[in-house]
Amino acid sequence: MLEALVHGQGGDPFALLGPHATADGAMRVRAMAQGAEAMALLNAQGKVVALMRCLDPAGLFEAQLGAAIPYRLRIAWPESMQEIDDPYAFGPVLEEGWLHGILSGDGESARLALGAHRMTHEGVDGVRFAVWAPNAQRVSLVGDFNSWDGRRNPMRLRHAGGVWELFMPGMAPGAHYKFEITANDGERQPHKADPAARQCELPPATASVVPQAEEFGWSDVEWMAQRAARATTPEAISIYEVHAGSWRHTATGQPMDWDQLAAELIPYVQWLGFTHIELLPITEYPFGGSWGYQPLGMYAPTARHGTPEGFARFVDACHNAGIGVILDWVSAHFPNDEHGLQRFDGTALYEHADPKEGFHKDWNTLIYNYGRHEVSAYLVGSALEWIERYHIDGLRVDAVASMLYRDYSRSEGEWVPNQHGGRENLEAVEFIKRLNCEVGRRFPGVMMIAEESTAWGGVTALTEHGGLGFSHKWNMGWMHDTLEYMKRDPVHRKHHHSEMTFGMVYAFSERFVLPLSHDEVVHGKGSLLTKMPGDAWQKLANLRAYFGFMWAHPGRKLLFMGGEFGQWSEWDHDAQLEWPLMQQHEHHGLAQLVGDLNARLKEQPALYRNDHTSDGFEWSVGDDHANSVFAFIRHDRDTGAAPVLAVSNFTPMPRYGYRVGVPSAGQWREILNTDSGHYGGSNVGNAGAVKTQAVPMHGHAQSLALTLPPLSTLWLKAD
């Protein structure tokens, strides 16, 4: 057994290393220090009480004392002397309840147990490490503190949970580490990064890092107290989607760190009036070209923008500025980098063994095995970590459709049916429900948003009613249909009128977010502005009118960065946005329009209070194909706030005396006109207000005779 230990073999180092009582009541101590010239034992006063004899020139030493006493190790290296506490003198560190919790799929247990955590154990400060690798023959902690030598710090197996642990006394924050894992067949795996690391090296380096601090000094007490209350109170929500690496660069052309983003992004978002920032995935990821959608560090903010403390400062600053933070979170798949999760302990541990279940052909990634309780616990623990540790206000769960269907993007014969012969991934469904139930129970007011592109029923229904339990779902159908309409030359739009109206057929079947996201401005699709037809003026006018239609339409709003000022080029994750455009009146005007849309959205309860029920919406004009005009009324029937009329003219022809029925007599004030000269428009309008006439129209006794500017949307409110 000693020979195996010396050569980095054997799975129970605590049976051989550290202090052990002898038959005569004495204490024998063994220690490993490959490359050491000598070792000695020190007592509590720092005096040498025994010189250790070398049992093996590879670095195994032993000493015997007459009685058990506290001790430290003195190690003589060729060029230095070191005094340390012996890691193998300490008892187990993980609570039994955590181990059983991981086995049952409890995310909180996984979050508390796994990874590197600073702690005081048996009166000594240090760091405990824990990693799930149930099929490993041996696991050793390696890092810059032991020359990456897997013989030095083998770990203890806690059989109850298949978790390996080790307490490293005196270890300082900032240490780089990985795990050396020997598979059950004796094959040694490439060094693996910690799946639950709280901090990682800057890519392309791949080591995990012992974090600086477990806690952060938050100053967002008021925000956090109000968040739960907002869960039951309707509020306006508009989301600015951001890729942190390409929003804006520093003067030297580098991506900004979190403090720089806090200084520049937050005031900009305040000026635009968005209620939330949604960050493309920042869970640590090896390949920058994946934009974060192929993550491996599910518990760690990417080092590309600084430290975990820097990210916490960013969130804290957002909250103090009245802005929520949503993270794009990827639980659908992971990349096959050798330092990552793939065949983690020599077996298909996190993924499925059968590629028909465990491999995504579209993305060349691996699919989580949601049927394993420990995998479910790992993922739920990640979600809880971001919400608890970083005060995150919502998670947008990526690629939910690929999780729900076993035949997602697969041909016949390339997938494995479920136990009932169907295509639904029942294990993924249970994982999603557990995730949403846990978040909802512990963190009321935190949004859980599904990117789900199919007709799966009840995505936002409560789990107790058979739903998946998300709070919101991206409305991919609305996005696709309306963008297709807007791309068309206005002369052809009359033949595709339903592309703008069909969304209302199902608008209240789920709690929707209307997304104009990063996915619509990459891979040759062009920017939002270049999708619009006509010359430069018409393109901008079309986009202004479209935004006006979108912000009045039922559903929460989401806009990807650059769309707010009409970027001409499609998004490039390696470059910053086209900020010089903001110096031009028409582009600055578009951004000002977005700011005013958000301001009016917050000011007018009718535009958001009944966002998810048919009570809040009424068509006035939904069938005027010939003129490509749409008009609808938004109501707040709960409080009786004044209704808002939205009218869009999607042709370049102004229309005069266009009559629209309204529910109340009197003056209707024009509260927004996307054709205003302030935004770069032609300044056609209704001189600020229009009075009703007793001309019945659209089911109402009163109507308005409106001037509709070209390529525009008007909002009017009853005074």
Side-chain angles (χ1 to χ4, degrees), residues 427-445:
E427 295 81 9
V429 170
E430 288 308 308
F431 157 70
I432 290 169
K433 289 181 176 180
R434 182 167 198 160
L435 168 71
N436 288 326
C437 284
E438 187 71 6
V439 171
R441 179 182 66 84
R442 293 190 54 193
F443 304 105

mmCIF file of all heavy atoms in Angstrom, residues 427-445:
data_model
loop_
_atom_site.group_PDB
_atom_site.id
_atom_site.type_symbol
_atom_site.label_atom_id
_atom_site.label_comp_id
_atom_site.label_asym_id
_atom_site.label_seq_id
_atom_site.Cartn_x
_atom_site.Cartn_y
_atom_site.Cartn_z
ATOM 1 N N GLU A 427 -36.975 13.334 -18.089
ATOM 2 C CA GLU A 427 -36.022 13.680 -17.036
ATOM 3 C C GLU A 427 -35.701 15.178 -17.064
ATOM 4 O O GLU A 427 -35.578 15.825 -16.016
ATOM 5 C CB GLU A 427 -34.743 12.863 -17.174
ATOM 6 C CG GLU A 427 -34.917 11.370 -16.964
ATOM 7 C CD GLU A 427 -35.455 10.644 -18.193
ATOM 8 O OE1 GLU A 427 -35.535 11.292 -19.263
ATOM 9 O OE2 GLU A 427 -35.789 9.451 -18.094
ATOM 10 N N ALA A 428 -35.574 15.729 -18.278
ATOM 11 C CA ALA A 428 -35.328 17.169 -18.396
ATOM 12 C C ALA A 428 -36.524 17.961 -17.891
ATOM 13 O O ALA A 428 -36.361 19.017 -17.253
ATOM 14 C CB ALA A 428 -35.015 17.536 -19.844
ATOM 15 N N VAL A 429 -37.720 17.472 -18.170
ATOM 16 C CA VAL A 429 -38.926 18.152 -17.695
ATOM 17 C C VAL A 429 -38.933 18.208 -16.173
ATOM 18 O O VAL A 429 -39.221 19.252 -15.565
ATOM 19 C CB VAL A 429 -40.188 17.447 -18.225
ATOM 20 C CG1 VAL A 429 -41.442 17.998 -17.550
ATOM 21 C CG2 VAL A 429 -40.292 17.615 -19.736
ATOM 22 N N GLU A 430 -38.604 17.092 -15.543
ATOM 23 C CA GLU A 430 -38.576 17.063 -14.075
ATOM 24 C C GLU A 430 -37.493 17.980 -13.525
ATOM 25 O O GLU A 430 -37.683 18.643 -12.496
ATOM 26 C CB GLU A 430 -38.388 15.631 -13.577
ATOM 27 C CG GLU A 430 -39.602 14.750 -13.769
ATOM 28 C CD GLU A 430 -40.873 15.378 -13.190
ATOM 29 O OE1 GLU A 430 -40.852 15.772 -11.995
ATOM 30 O OE2 GLU A 430 -41.858 15.505 -13.920
ATOM 31 N N PHE A 431 -36.336 18.008 -14.196
ATOM 32 C CA PHE A 431 -35.278 18.921 -13.759
ATOM 33 C C PHE A 431 -35.749 20.371 -13.837
ATOM 34 O O PHE A 431 -35.542 21.160 -12.907
ATOM 35 C CB PHE A 431 -34.026 18.735 -14.614
ATOM 36 C CG PHE A 431 -33.122 19.931 -14.618
ATOM 37 C CD1 PHE A 431 -32.405 20.277 -13.487
ATOM 38 C CD2 PHE A 431 -33.011 20.742 -15.743
ATOM 39 C CE1 PHE A 431 -31.589 21.404 -13.475
ATOM 40 C CE2 PHE A 431 -32.198 21.859 -15.744
ATOM 41 C CZ PHE A 431 -31.486 22.192 -14.606
ATOM 42 N N ILE A 432 -36.360 20.749 -14.951
ATOM 43 C CA ILE A 432 -36.829 22.130 -15.130
ATOM 44 C C ILE A 432 -37.854 22.496 -14.056
ATOM 45 O O ILE A 432 -37.807 23.582 -13.465
ATOM 46 C CB ILE A 432 -37.411 22.312 -16.540
ATOM 47 C CG1 ILE A 432 -36.292 22.268 -17.580
ATOM 48 C CG2 ILE A 432 -38.196 23.609 -16.640
ATOM 49 C CD1 ILE A 432 -36.788 22.176 -19.012
ATOM 50 N N LYS A 433 -38.772 21.586 -13.792
ATOM 51 C CA LYS A 433 -39.776 21.858 -12.762
ATOM 52 C C LYS A 433 -39.122 22.034 -11.393
ATOM 53 O O LYS A 433 -39.486 22.937 -10.626
ATOM 54 C CB LYS A 433 -40.802 20.721 -12.719
ATOM 55 C CG LYS A 433 -41.729 20.668 -13.921
ATOM 56 C CD LYS A 433 -42.724 19.525 -13.777
ATOM 57 C CE LYS A 433 -43.727 19.504 -14.929
ATOM 58 N NZ LYS A 433 -44.707 18.398 -14.790
ATOM 59 N N ARG A 434 -38.161 21.180 -11.111
ATOM 60 C CA ARG A 434 -37.477 21.280 -9.816
ATOM 61 C C ARG A 434 -36.721 22.601 -9.706
ATOM 62 O O ARG A 434 -36.744 23.273 -8.672
ATOM 63 C CB ARG A 434 -36.520 20.105 -9.644
ATOM 64 C CG ARG A 434 -35.807 20.106 -8.302
ATOM 65 C CD ARG A 434 -35.118 18.788 -8.016
ATOM 66 N NE ARG A 434 -34.829 18.659 -6.596
ATOM 67 C CZ ARG A 434 -34.586 17.519 -5.985
ATOM 68 N NH1 ARG A 434 -34.616 16.396 -6.671
ATOM 69 N NH2 ARG A 434 -34.320 17.481 -4.691
ATOM 70 N N LEU A 435 -36.054 22.963 -10.784
ATOM 71 C CA LEU A 435 -35.319 24.223 -10.819
ATOM 72 C C LEU A 435 -36.245 25.395 -10.530
ATOM 73 O O LEU A 435 -35.974 26.236 -9.657
ATOM 74 C CB LEU A 435 -34.660 24.380 -12.188
ATOM 75 C CG LEU A 435 -34.078 25.750 -12.527
ATOM 76 C CD1 LEU A 435 -32.834 26.014 -11.696
ATOM 77 C CD2 LEU A 435 -33.761 25.833 -14.027
ATOM 78 N N ASN A 436 -37.343 25.470 -11.260
ATOM 79 C CA ASN A 436 -38.247 26.614 -11.112
ATOM 80 C C ASN A 436 -38.959 26.618 -9.769
ATOM 81 O O ASN A 436 -39.176 27.691 -9.181
ATOM 82 C CB ASN A 436 -39.255 26.622 -12.259
ATOM 83 C CG ASN A 436 -38.624 27.025 -13.583
ATOM 84 O OD1 ASN A 436 -37.711 27.847 -13.611
ATOM 85 N ND2 ASN A 436 -39.088 26.449 -14.676
ATOM 86 N N CYS A 437 -39.299 25.448 -9.269
ATOM 87 C CA CYS A 437 -39.936 25.383 -7.944
ATOM 88 C C CYS A 437 -38.976 25.860 -6.861
ATOM 89 O O CYS A 437 -39.359 26.613 -5.961
ATOM 90 C CB CYS A 437 -40.391 23.956 -7.650
ATOM 91 S SG CYS A 437 -41.882 23.455 -8.517
ATOM 92 N N GLU A 438 -37.715 25.420 -6.951
ATOM 93 C CA GLU A 438 -36.739 25.787 -5.932
ATOM 94 C C GLU A 438 -36.466 27.288 -5.948
ATOM 95 O O GLU A 438 -36.414 27.940 -4.901
ATOM 96 C CB GLU A 438 -35.453 24.992 -6.149
ATOM 97 C CG GLU A 438 -34.419 25.149 -5.066
ATOM 98 C CD GLU A 438 -34.798 24.484 -3.759
ATOM 99 O OE1 GLU A 438 -35.837 23.786 -3.717
ATOM 100 O OE2 GLU A 438 -34.078 24.670 -2.758
ATOM 101 N N VAL A 439 -36.282 27.837 -7.144
ATOM 102 C CA VAL A 439 -36.035 29.277 -7.239
ATOM 103 C C VAL A 439 -37.256 30.056 -6.770
ATOM 104 O O VAL A 439 -37.151 31.034 -6.006
ATOM 105 C CB VAL A 439 -35.651 29.667 -8.677
ATOM 106 C CG1 VAL A 439 -35.603 31.185 -8.829
ATOM 107 C CG2 VAL A 439 -34.305 29.066 -9.056
ATOM 108 N N GLY A 440 -38.431 29.639 -7.212
ATOM 109 C CA GLY A 440 -39.647 30.346 -6.815
ATOM 110 C C GLY A 440 -39.906 30.298 -5.326
ATOM 111 O O GLY A 440 -40.367 31.274 -4.730
ATOM 112 N N ARG A 441 -39.620 29.155 -4.710
ATOM 113 C CA ARG A 441 -39.844 29.012 -3.272
ATOM 114 C C ARG A 441 -38.889 29.877 -2.466
ATOM 115 O O ARG A 441 -39.290 30.532 -1.505
ATOM 116 C CB ARG A 441 -39.676 27.539 -2.875
ATOM 117 C CG ARG A 441 -39.859 27.256 -1.389
ATOM 118 C CD ARG A 441 -39.620 25.788 -1.077
ATOM 119 N NE ARG A 441 -38.244 25.400 -1.297
ATOM 120 C CZ ARG A 441 -37.267 25.573 -0.404
ATOM 121 N NH1 ARG A 441 -37.528 26.164 0.754
ATOM 122 N NH2 ARG A 441 -36.042 25.180 -0.668
ATOM 123 N N ARG A 442 -37.634 29.917 -2.864
ATOM 124 C CA ARG A 442 -36.617 30.597 -2.064
ATOM 125 C C ARG A 442 -36.445 32.067 -2.421
ATOM 126 O O ARG A 442 -36.039 32.858 -1.573
ATOM 127 C CB ARG A 442 -35.275 29.873 -2.229
ATOM 128 C CG ARG A 442 -35.241 28.481 -1.638
ATOM 129 C CD ARG A 442 -33.836 27.932 -1.616
ATOM 130 N NE ARG A 442 -32.931 28.847 -0.924
ATOM 131 C CZ ARG A 442 -31.613 28.753 -0.961
ATOM 132 N NH1 ARG A 442 -31.052 27.792 -1.668
ATOM 133 N NH2 ARG A 442 -30.857 29.606 -0.307
ATOM 134 N N PHE A 443 -36.760 32.418 -3.675
ATOM 135 C CA PHE A 443 -36.462 33.781 -4.125
ATOM 136 C C PHE A 443 -37.655 34.376 -4.881
ATOM 137 O O PHE A 443 -37.605 34.542 -6.094
ATOM 138 C CB PHE A 443 -35.220 33.780 -5.021
ATOM 139 C CG PHE A 443 -34.001 33.184 -4.382
ATOM 140 C CD1 PHE A 443 -33.567 31.920 -4.741
ATOM 141 C CD2 PHE A 443 -33.291 33.881 -3.414
ATOM 142 C CE1 PHE A 443 -32.447 31.351 -4.159
ATOM 143 C CE2 PHE A 443 -32.167 33.330 -2.828
ATOM 144 C CZ PHE A 443 -31.744 32.057 -3.195
ATOM 145 N N PRO A 444 -38.734 34.682 -4.188
ATOM 146 C CA PRO A 444 -39.874 35.305 -4.873
ATOM 147 C C PRO A 444 -39.452 36.616 -5.517
ATOM 148 O O PRO A 444 -38.698 37.394 -4.939
ATOM 149 C CB PRO A 444 -40.883 35.518 -3.748
ATOM 150 C CG PRO A 444 -40.087 35.464 -2.482
ATOM 151 C CD PRO A 444 -38.959 34.534 -2.738
ATOM 152 N N GLY A 445 -39.909 36.818 -6.727
ATOM 153 C CA GLY A 445 -39.560 38.032 -7.461
ATOM 154 C C GLY A 445 -38.439 37.840 -8.449
ATOM 155 O O GLY A 445 -38.214 38.707 -9.302
#
